[in-house]
Amino acid sequence: MRERAAELFNEIAEEYDFVVEELEVASDHVHIFLSFPPRHSISEVVKILKSISAREIFREYPSIKKKLWKGELWEDGYFARTVVDKVTSDIIKKY
């Protein structure tokens, strides 16, 4: 399922003109280093990634919903950091 989640993030990124620089799908969270057009807000990008990936995973693996707390694949929260002068892409990738 981790591999499928990674595939989905890449497919969604391609469809929405996002660029996945780095991606790691762990057992309980996802790290994604992503570039996207300024017409999208960070919250909008997160919503797109979470909603589409969850819908597809539930469609492909219907039994997983019963194993999840509250039947939700992703938590409501997220951590986002932008690349600026002191926080470079190398620092974020290292994280």
Side-chain angles (χ1 to χ4, degrees):
M1 190 173 316
R2 283 187 200 169
E3 286 179 25
R4 182 60 182 134
E7 289 172 2
L8 284 167
F9 284 125
N10 283 302
E11 291 170 10
I12 296 163
E14 186 176 326
E15 181 178 338
Y16 283 85
D17 200 25
F18 306 159
V19 177
V20 176
E21 306 286 345
E22 297 285 333
L23 174 65
E24 176 192 0
V25 179
S27 62
D28 62 349
H29 64 279
V30 174
H31 287 171
I32 186 167
F33 185 51
L34 184 76
S35 299
F36 54 89
R39 69 180 177 268
H40 297 289
S41 68
I42 292 173
S43 61
E44 181 183 6
V45 170
V46 171
K47 181 180 176 183
I48 290 167
L49 292 169
K50 285 183 171 185
S51 63
I52 295 172
S53 62
R55 184 175 59 241
E56 287 301 310
I57 288 173
F58 288 145
R59 186 180 63 75
E60 295 174 21
Y61 305 94
S63 64
I64 192 71
K65 196 166 193 167
K66 295 173 187 171
K67 297 177 184 178
L68 298 171
W69 191 63
K70 293 185 180 179
E72 296 180 6
L73 185 62
W74 306 118
E75 290 287 331
D76 291 337
Y78 61 91
F79 172 80
R81 185 73 187 239
T82 58
V83 176
V84 293
D85 292 341
K86 293 184 180 179
V87 181
T88 65
S89 59
D90 288 338
I91 289 171
I92 292 173
K93 286 179 183 177
K94 184 178 177 183
Y95 170 77

